[in-house]
Every structure is written in structure tokens, then in C-alpha cells.
CSV table of all heavy atoms in Angstrom, one decimal:
chain,number,residue,atom,x,y,z
A,1,GLU,N,50.6,65.2,12.2
A,1,GLU,CA,50.5,65.0,10.7
A,1,GLU,C,50.5,66.4,9.9
A,1,GLU,O,50.8,66.3,8.6
A,1,GLU,CB,49.1,64.3,10.3
A,1,GLU,CG,49.0,63.0,10.8
A,1,GLU,CD,50.1,61.9,10.3
A,1,GLU,OE1,50.5,62.3,9.1
A,1,GLU,OE2,50.5,61.1,11.0
A,2,SER,N,50.5,67.6,10.5
A,2,SER,CA,50.5,68.9,9.9
A,2,SER,C,49.8,68.8,8.6
A,2,SER,O,50.4,69.2,7.6
A,2,SER,CB,52.0,69.3,9.8
A,2,SER,OG,52.6,69.3,11.0
A,3,PRO,N,48.4,68.7,8.7
A,3,PRO,CA,47.7,68.8,7.4
A,3,PRO,C,47.6,70.2,7.0
A,3,PRO,O,48.0,71.2,7.7
A,3,PRO,CB,46.4,68.3,7.8
A,3,PRO,CG,46.2,68.6,9.2
A,3,PRO,CD,47.6,68.4,9.8
A,4,ASP,N,47.3,70.4,5.6
A,4,ASP,CA,47.1,71.8,5.1
A,4,ASP,C,45.8,72.4,5.6
A,4,ASP,O,45.8,73.7,5.8
A,4,ASP,CB,47.1,71.7,3.6
A,4,ASP,CG,48.5,71.3,3.1
A,4,ASP,OD1,49.6,72.0,3.3
A,4,ASP,OD2,48.6,70.1,2.5
A,5,LEU,N,44.8,71.6,5.7
A,5,LEU,CA,43.5,72.1,6.4
A,5,LEU,C,42.8,70.8,6.8
A,5,LEU,O,43.1,69.7,6.7
A,5,LEU,CB,42.7,72.7,5.1
A,5,LEU,CG,42.2,71.9,4.0
A,5,LEU,CD1,40.9,71.4,4.2
A,5,LEU,CD2,42.3,72.8,2.7
A,6,ILE,N,41.7,71.2,7.6
A,6,ILE,CA,40.9,70.3,8.3
A,6,ILE,C,39.4,70.3,7.9
A,6,ILE,O,39.0,71.5,7.9
A,6,ILE,CB,41.0,70.4,9.8
A,6,ILE,CG1,42.5,70.2,10.1
A,6,ILE,CG2,40.1,69.4,10.6
A,6,ILE,CD1,42.7,70.6,11.7
A,7,VAL,N,38.8,69.3,7.6
A,7,VAL,CA,37.2,69.4,7.4
A,7,VAL,C,36.7,68.9,8.8
A,7,VAL,O,36.9,67.8,9.2
A,7,VAL,CB,36.8,68.4,6.3
A,7,VAL,CG1,35.3,68.5,6.3
A,7,VAL,CG2,37.4,68.9,5.0
A,8,MET,N,36.0,69.8,9.5
A,8,MET,CA,35.7,69.5,10.9
A,8,MET,C,34.3,69.6,11.2
A,8,MET,O,33.5,70.5,10.8
A,8,MET,CB,36.3,70.8,11.7
A,8,MET,CG,36.1,70.8,13.2
A,8,MET,SD,37.0,69.7,14.1
A,8,MET,CE,38.7,70.5,14.1
A,9,ASP,N,33.8,68.5,11.7
A,9,ASP,CA,32.4,68.5,12.2
A,9,ASP,C,32.3,69.1,13.6
A,9,ASP,O,33.4,69.2,14.2
A,9,ASP,CB,31.9,67.0,12.3
A,9,ASP,CG,30.4,66.9,12.7
A,9,ASP,OD1,29.7,67.9,12.5
A,9,ASP,OD2,30.1,65.7,13.1
A,10,ILE,N,31.2,69.6,13.9
A,10,ILE,CA,31.1,70.4,15.3
A,10,ILE,C,30.8,69.4,16.4
A,10,ILE,O,31.4,69.3,17.4
A,10,ILE,CB,30.2,71.6,15.2
A,10,ILE,CG1,30.8,72.7,14.4
A,10,ILE,CG2,29.9,72.1,16.7
A,10,ILE,CD1,30.1,73.9,14.2
A,11,ARG,N,29.7,68.6,16.1
A,11,ARG,CA,29.4,67.5,17.1
A,11,ARG,C,30.4,66.3,17.1
A,11,ARG,O,30.4,65.7,16.0
A,11,ARG,CB,28.1,67.0,16.9
A,11,ARG,CG,27.1,68.1,17.0
A,11,ARG,CD,26.0,67.9,18.1
A,11,ARG,NE,25.2,69.0,18.4
A,11,ARG,CZ,24.1,68.9,18.9
A,11,ARG,NH1,23.6,67.7,19.4
A,11,ARG,NH2,23.4,70.0,19.2
A,12,LEU,N,31.1,66.1,18.2
A,12,LEU,CA,32.1,65.1,18.2
A,12,LEU,C,31.8,64.2,19.4
A,12,LEU,O,31.1,64.6,20.3
A,12,LEU,CB,33.5,65.6,18.3
A,12,LEU,CG,34.0,66.4,17.0
A,12,LEU,CD1,35.3,67.0,17.2
A,12,LEU,CD2,33.9,65.6,15.7
A,13,ILE,N,32.5,63.0,19.6
A,13,ILE,CA,32.4,62.2,20.7
A,13,ILE,C,33.1,62.9,21.8
A,13,ILE,O,34.2,63.4,21.6
A,13,ILE,CB,33.0,60.8,20.3
A,13,ILE,CG1,32.4,60.2,19.2
A,13,ILE,CG2,33.0,60.0,21.6
A,13,ILE,CD1,33.1,58.9,18.6
A,14,GLY,N,32.6,62.9,23.0
A,14,GLY,CA,33.2,63.4,24.2
A,14,GLY,C,32.7,64.8,24.6
A,14,GLY,O,31.8,65.4,23.9
A,15,LYS,N,33.4,65.5,25.6
A,15,LYS,CA,32.9,66.8,26.1
A,15,LYS,C,33.3,67.9,25.0
A,15,LYS,O,32.4,68.8,25.0
A,15,LYS,CB,33.6,67.0,27.4
A,15,LYS,CG,33.1,66.1,28.6
A,15,LYS,CD,33.7,66.5,29.8
A,15,LYS,CE,33.2,65.5,30.9
A,15,LYS,NZ,33.9,65.9,32.2
A,16,ALA,N,34.5,67.9,24.6
A,16,ALA,CA,34.8,69.0,23.7
A,16,ALA,C,34.3,68.7,22.2
A,16,ALA,O,34.1,67.6,21.8
A,16,ALA,CB,36.3,69.0,23.6
A,17,ASP,N,33.9,69.9,21.6
A,17,ASP,CA,33.4,69.6,20.3
A,17,ASP,C,34.3,70.2,19.2
A,17,ASP,O,35.5,70.5,19.5
A,17,ASP,CB,32.1,70.5,20.2
A,17,ASP,CG,32.2,71.9,20.4
A,17,ASP,OD1,33.3,72.5,20.4
A,17,ASP,OD2,31.1,72.7,20.4
A,18,GLY,N,33.9,70.2,18.0
A,18,GLY,CA,34.7,70.7,16.9
A,18,GLY,C,35.2,72.1,17.0
A,18,GLY,O,36.4,72.4,16.5
A,19,VAL,N,34.5,73.0,17.6
A,19,VAL,CA,34.9,74.3,17.7
A,19,VAL,C,36.0,74.3,18.7
A,19,VAL,O,37.1,75.0,18.4
A,19,VAL,CB,33.8,75.3,18.1
A,19,VAL,CG1,34.3,76.7,18.4
A,19,VAL,CG2,32.7,75.4,17.0
A,20,ASP,N,35.9,73.7,19.8
A,20,ASP,CA,37.0,73.6,20.8
A,20,ASP,C,38.3,73.1,20.2
A,20,ASP,O,39.3,73.6,20.3
A,20,ASP,CB,36.7,72.7,21.9
A,20,ASP,CG,35.5,73.1,22.8
A,20,ASP,OD1,35.3,74.4,22.9
A,20,ASP,OD2,34.7,72.3,23.3
A,21,ALA,N,38.1,72.1,19.3
A,21,ALA,CA,39.3,71.5,18.7
A,21,ALA,C,39.8,72.5,17.7
A,21,ALA,O,41.1,72.6,17.7
A,21,ALA,CB,39.0,70.2,18.0
A,22,ALA,N,39.0,73.1,16.9
A,22,ALA,CA,39.5,74.0,15.9
A,22,ALA,C,40.2,75.2,16.5
A,22,ALA,O,41.3,75.6,15.9
A,22,ALA,CB,38.3,74.5,15.0
A,23,LEU,N,39.7,75.7,17.6
A,23,LEU,CA,40.3,76.8,18.3
A,23,LEU,C,41.7,76.4,18.8
A,23,LEU,O,42.7,77.2,18.6
A,23,LEU,CB,39.4,77.4,19.5
A,23,LEU,CG,38.2,78.1,19.0
A,23,LEU,CD1,37.2,78.2,20.2
A,23,LEU,CD2,38.6,79.4,18.3
A,24,GLU,N,41.9,75.3,19.4
A,24,GLU,CA,43.1,74.8,19.9
A,24,GLU,C,44.1,74.5,18.7
A,24,GLU,O,45.3,74.9,18.9
A,24,GLU,CB,42.9,73.5,20.8
A,24,GLU,CG,44.2,73.1,21.5
A,24,GLU,CD,44.0,72.0,22.4
A,24,GLU,OE1,42.8,71.6,22.7
A,24,GLU,OE2,45.0,71.4,22.8
A,25,ILE,N,43.7,73.9,17.8
A,25,ILE,CA,44.5,73.6,16.6
A,25,ILE,C,45.0,74.9,16.0
A,25,ILE,O,46.2,75.0,15.7
A,25,ILE,CB,43.8,72.7,15.6
A,25,ILE,CG1,43.6,71.3,16.2
A,25,ILE,CG2,44.6,72.6,14.3
A,25,ILE,CD1,42.6,70.4,15.4
A,26,PHE,N,44.1,75.9,15.8
A,26,PHE,CA,44.5,77.0,15.2
A,26,PHE,C,45.5,77.8,16.0
A,26,PHE,O,46.5,78.4,15.6
A,26,PHE,CB,43.3,78.0,14.8
A,26,PHE,CG,43.7,79.2,14.2
A,26,PHE,CD1,44.1,79.2,12.8
A,26,PHE,CD2,43.6,80.4,14.7
A,26,PHE,CE1,44.5,80.3,12.2
A,26,PHE,CE2,43.8,81.6,14.1
A,26,PHE,CZ,44.3,81.6,12.8
A,27,ARG,N,45.3,77.9,17.4
A,27,ARG,CA,46.1,78.6,18.3
A,27,ARG,C,47.6,77.9,18.3
A,27,ARG,O,48.5,78.7,18.4
A,27,ARG,CB,45.6,78.5,19.7
A,27,ARG,CG,45.1,79.7,20.3
A,27,ARG,CD,44.7,79.8,21.7
A,27,ARG,NE,44.3,78.5,22.3
A,27,ARG,CZ,43.0,78.1,22.3
A,27,ARG,NH1,42.0,78.9,21.9
A,27,ARG,NH2,42.7,77.0,22.8
A,28,GLU,N,47.6,76.6,18.3
A,28,GLU,CA,48.8,75.9,18.4
A,28,GLU,C,49.6,75.6,17.1
A,28,GLU,O,50.8,75.5,17.1
A,28,GLU,CB,48.7,74.7,19.3
A,28,GLU,CG,48.2,74.9,20.6
A,28,GLU,CD,48.1,73.7,21.5
A,28,GLU,OE1,48.7,72.7,21.1
A,28,GLU,OE2,47.4,73.7,22.5
A,29,THR,N,48.9,75.6,16.0
A,29,THR,CA,49.5,75.3,14.7
A,29,THR,C,49.3,76.2,13.6
A,29,THR,O,50.0,76.2,12.6
A,29,THR,CB,49.1,73.8,14.3
A,29,THR,OG1,47.6,73.9,13.9
A,29,THR,CG2,49.3,72.8,15.4
A,30,GLY,N,48.2,76.9,13.7
A,30,GLY,CA,47.9,77.9,12.5
A,30,GLY,C,47.0,77.2,11.5
A,30,GLY,O,46.6,77.8,10.5
A,31,ILE,N,46.8,75.8,11.7
A,31,ILE,CA,45.9,75.1,10.7
A,31,ILE,C,44.5,75.5,10.8
A,31,ILE,O,43.9,75.7,12.0
A,31,ILE,CB,46.1,73.6,10.9
A,31,ILE,CG1,47.6,73.2,10.7
A,31,ILE,CG2,45.2,72.8,9.8
A,31,ILE,CD1,47.9,71.8,11.2
A,32,ARG,N,43.9,75.8,9.6
A,32,ARG,CA,42.5,76.2,9.7
A,32,ARG,C,41.5,75.2,9.2
A,32,ARG,O,41.9,74.2,8.6
A,32,ARG,CB,42.5,77.5,8.7
A,32,ARG,CG,43.2,78.6,9.4
A,32,ARG,CD,43.4,79.8,8.3
A,32,ARG,NE,42.1,80.5,8.0
A,32,ARG,CZ,41.9,81.2,7.0
A,32,ARG,NH1,42.9,81.5,6.1
A,32,ARG,NH2,40.7,81.7,6.7
A,33,CYS,N,40.2,75.3,9.4
A,33,CYS,CA,39.2,74.4,9.1
A,33,CYS,C,38.2,74.8,8.1
A,33,CYS,O,37.9,76.1,8.1
A,33,CYS,CB,38.4,74.0,10.5
A,33,CYS,SG,39.6,73.3,11.7
A,34,ILE,N,37.5,73.9,7.6
A,34,ILE,CA,36.3,74.0,6.9
A,34,ILE,C,35.3,73.3,7.9
A,34,ILE,O,35.5,72.2,8.2
A,34,ILE,CB,36.2,73.3,5.6
A,34,ILE,CG1,37.1,74.0,4.6
A,34,ILE,CG2,34.7,73.3,5.1
A,34,ILE,CD1,37.3,73.2,3.3
A,35,PHE,N,34.3,74.0,8.4
A,35,PHE,CA,33.2,73.4,9.3
A,35,PHE,C,32.3,72.7,8.3
A,35,PHE,O,31.6,73.4,7.6
A,35,PHE,CB,32.7,74.4,10.3
A,35,PHE,CG,33.6,74.8,11.4
A,35,PHE,CD1,34.2,76.0,11.4
A,35,PHE,CD2,33.9,73.8,12.5
A,35,PHE,CE1,35.2,76.3,12.3
A,35,PHE,CE2,34.7,74.2,13.4
A,35,PHE,CZ,35.5,75.4,13.4
A,36,ALA,N,32.0,71.4,8.5
A,36,ALA,CA,31.0,70.6,7.7
A,36,ALA,C,30.0,70.1,8.8
A,36,ALA,O,30.3,69.2,9.6
A,36,ALA,CB,31.6,69.5,7.0
A,37,THR,N,28.9,70.9,8.9
A,37,THR,CA,28.1,70.6,10.1
A,37,THR,C,26.6,71.1,9.8
A,37,THR,O,26.4,71.9,9.0
A,37,THR,CB,28.6,71.3,11.3
A,37,THR,OG1,27.8,71.1,12.4
A,37,THR,CG2,28.7,72.8,11.1
């Protein structure tokens, strides 16, 4: 979807958390987050 930004919770369903997702997304797309947590 290539959003302009992401509002990211840290606690998520599954093993990986919001920080893991944010790091991967930023590395691969450059999209940044606001952490709401």
C-alpha cells in the first residue's frame, strides 16, 4: 500500500512485535512510524 506513515502499536499478535515490524518496514521501504503504545 505504500502509506506515508504508520501508527504502530508495539505489542502485536505473534512472535514479532511492532518494533520488529517497524525496523523491517523502514529498512525495506523507508516508511516511518509513530509508536502508539
Side-chain angles (χ1 to χ4, degrees):
E1 297 296 326
S2 298
D4 296 296
L5 63 95
I6 300 168
V7 178
M8 177 80 71
D9 187 15
I10 289 183
R11 296 243 173 157
L12 299 174
I13 300 166
K15 289 181 182 179
D17 67 8
V19 174
D20 296 325
L23 289 166
E24 185 174 348
I25 290 167
F26 183 68
R27 250 189 330 268
E28 294 186 20
T29 68
I31 300 168
R32 296 168 64 196
C33 300
I34 293 169
F35 286 103
T37 183

